[in-house]
Amino acid sequence: MNIIITGGAGFIGSHVVRLFVNKYPEYHIINVDKLTYAGNLANLKDIEDKPNYTFVKADICDFDKMRELMAQYAVNGIIHLAAESHVDRSIKDPFTFARTNVLGTLSLLQAAKTYWENLPEGYEGKRFYHISTDEVYGALQFDGTLFTEQTKYDPHSPYSASKASSDHFVRAFHDTYGMPTIVTNCSNNYGPYQFPEKLIPLFINNIRHRKPLPVYGKGENVRDWLYVEDHARAIDLIFHKGKVADTYNIGGFNEWKNIDLIKVIIKTVDRLLGHPEGYSLDLITYVTDRQGHDLRYAIDSTKLKRELGWEPSLQFEEGIEKTVKWYLENEAWLENVTSGEYQRYYEGMYKDR
Ligand code: NAD
Ligand code: DAU
């Protein structure tokens, strides 16, 4: 297969690219990424010279470029992860989210449609797999209920509204044109290579520098955490075995109240840095809540287990230990990402490709 993976230089995308490049030497993996502040080719250093891997710096909103890439690489599969992904940024700048998440997804769909429809075999053997989020389902109360594939969409933030809209476009392309699409909705991911504006890497980095840990509101919001490599394994399975036009929820049945999770992070970082227990607790700083802050997310991934046999492989304790260790051992990565140096470096390096 010749597969375009969009957003492959980002957090989850880099794990998916690495998995596919290493596991399927017979495939050609084309990583299409605009390299925004969140995209970082250093995430893929270990595989960048593999013969079955190509990087293309491009914006998914550029329809002509997407159409050209489809034909140039005879693409028969797309795994679409490129997006603006940070809720706080979407509250400040919703237009960027509508542009990339909605119009970018539409441009990719239309490029695939116009290329695939004109082939003799049409959509046969093709697949457009769209990676979405549990946030499109809205917010749960503290009542034990879970998001299932039947839960009605009810997005609250500009980010989740843009992701919901893109999901609708993907499904519309199946229903209207017969494009073989799949959508998955996953819970919060954590692990190596996550940009340190998201809760877990931000707090690890701040503890390292003895900076305040800004806890939104009372820290009572709940998120359902999944180790990123388990998400990548689910994407591999669903890309190959998932039913066309179907939706699968992906999650680890691993709910944590923010403040409890923050205490686990503090305890782990302090232990690994050789500080006494409780040393960094004084960094906890309660700040004004996020606007429209969703109270609780929790995914029911029973369908994925029942139909395709997927389960998370890592216990949370093990996952968080691995994650904290990774950030502490990869200080240079953290420094590069936060200084913005990497962006200038790689833009120069790839500008002629
Ligand atoms: P990320 O912000 O780390 O990475 C996004 C990547 O997309 C970056 O490499 C960026 O350069 C690229 N990109 C952004 N705009 C682009 C454009 N216009 N054209 C081409 N490339 C562009 O995001 P992430 O956390 O890895 O999330 C990846 C996907 O998974 C997103 O679609 C997100 O909605 C979804 N998701 C994320 C989580 C999570 O917890 N992080 C959970 C569920 C679903
Ligand atoms: O649920 C899946 C989603 O998870 C993905 O679709 C998003 O792309 C991803 O960013 C993530 O969204 P969240 O808003 O849940 O993640 P974030 O790390 O920004 O915040 C996690 C929780 O921690 C949330 O309740 C807000 C809170 N928080 C976050 C930050 C950055 C704080 O209390 N302080 C902070 O500084």
Side-chain angles (χ1 to χ4, degrees):
M1 291 198 81
N2 301 314
I3 304 170
I4 282 186
I5 299 183
T6 69
F11 166 47
I12 303 172
S14 62
H15 289 274
V16 177
V17 166
R18 177 175 296 100
L19 176 69
F20 272 70
V21 166
N22 287 329
K23 185 168 172 188
Y24 302 107
E26 72 279 20
Y27 290 1
H28 183 191
I29 304 302
I30 304 113
N31 173 11
V32 175
D33 198 298
K34 183 182 171 184
L35 297 183
T36 67
Y37 77 95
N40 184 357
L41 289 173
N43 297 358
L44 291 165
K45 268 248 148 294
D46 54 323
I47 56 114
E48 68 180 7
D49 294 327
K50 296 265 179 160
N52 63 336
Y53 172 70
T54 303
F55 172 72
V56 179
K57 183 174 188 294
D59 186 336
I60 54 164
C61 300
D62 182 346
F63 168 77
D64 292 337
K65 183 70 185 175
M66 294 305 114
R67 183 65 182 73
E68 178 195 315
L69 292 174
M70 293 292 302
Q72 181 181 351
Y73 294 108
V75 170
N76 44 15
I78 296 179
I79 304 178
H80 175 36
L81 295 110
E84 289 293 335
S85 68
H86 190 40
V87 175
D88 292 330
R89 284 180 189 253
S90 81
I91 294 167
K92 286 209 170 68
D93 175 20
F95 279 108
T96 308
F97 283 68
R99 182 184 177 278
T100 285
N101 299 0
V102 185
L103 295 178
T105 300
L106 179 56
S107 136
L108 203 59
L109 283 162
Q110 185 71 1
K113 172 184 179 289
T114 54
Y115 175 61
W116 288 340
E117 273 188 356
N118 287 308
L119 295 174
E121 76 280 13
Y123 287 125
E124 176 112 30
K126 311 297 187 299
R127 187 149 284 205
F128 189 109
Y129 179 1
H130 176 61
I131 308 299
S132 192
T133 170
D134 59 0
E135 300 202 11
V136 296
Y137 295 127
L140 297 166
Q141 296 303 311
F142 295 128
D143 56 5
T145 50
L146 302 172
F147 296 133
T148 71
E149 288 81 359
Q150 278 71 49
T151 304
K152 201 164 95 38
Y153 274 29
D154 182 22
H156 298 143
S157 72
Y159 163 68
S160 54
S162 68
K163 290 296 290 186
S165 172
S166 65
D167 296 6
H168 291 320
F169 269 107
V170 173
R171 294 189 177 109
F173 267 62
H174 171 267
D175 296 349
T176 307
Y177 309 112
M179 184 181 283
T181 58
I182 295 191
V183 177
T184 55
N185 299 82
C186 188
S187 63
N188 285 64
N189 284 216
Y190 71 101
Y193 301 115
Q194 187 169 32
F195 195 82
E197 63 185 353
K198 308 279 169 68
L199 181 75
I200 292 182
L202 174 75
F203 277 35
I204 297 171
N205 200 27
N206 283 8
I207 297 169
R208 212 165 62 86
H209 291 294
R210 294 255 339 126
K211 281 196 192 155
L213 306 175
V215 181
Y216 297 165
K218 294 184 177 148
E220 279 173 352
N221 303 65
V222 168
R223 296 292 182 266
D224 179 359
W225 294 93
L226 179 69
Y227 192 68
V228 63
E229 286 180 2
D230 277 328
H231 188 189
R233 275 197 311 109
I235 290 172
D236 175 19
L237 185 65
I238 294 163
F239 179 77
H240 290 97
K241 304 257 170 66
K243 255 194 279 144
V244 162
D246 218 340
T247 293
Y248 300 87
N249 278 355
I250 309 173
F253 293 104
N254 180 41
E255 291 181 50
W256 284 83
K257 200 182 265 196
N258 286 344
I259 192 65
D260 295 337
L261 171 69
I262 288 162
K263 286 181 181 159
V264 171
I265 298 170
I266 291 174
K267 197 171 172 179
T268 312
V269 178
D270 278 346
R271 177 169 47 75
L272 290 171
L273 288 180
H275 295 314
E277 187 160 344
Y279 177 75
S280 299
L281 282 172
D282 64 327
L283 298 176
I284 291 179
T285 310
Y286 291 93
V287 299
T288 311
D289 208 352
R290 174 184 277 172
Q291 288 169 282
H293 197 173
D294 286 334
L295 187 63
R296 173 174 165 258
Y297 302 144
I299 274 281
D300 181 352
S301 55
T302 311
K303 173 178 169 181
L304 183 55
K305 180 173 180 198
R306 190 180 60 239
E307 294 191 6
L308 299 181
W310 177 89
E311 273 185 296
S313 68
L314 220 61
Q315 290 298 312
F316 186 64
E317 291 66 26
E318 202 185 327
I320 204 77
E321 178 89 11
K322 268 176 87 151
T323 302
V324 171
K325 266 195 184 138
W326 188 87
Y327 287 98
L328 296 182
E329 285 166 6
N330 287 274
E331 270 187 35
W333 182 90
L334 270 174
E335 296 304 329
N336 279 344
V337 168
T338 40
S339 74
E341 271 308 309
Y342 79 90
Q343 243 178 334
R344 284 189 285 280
Y345 170 67
Y346 282 107
E347 271 176 14
M349 192 165 153
Y350 283 96
K351 74 175 184 306
D352 297 321
R353 286 202 170 183

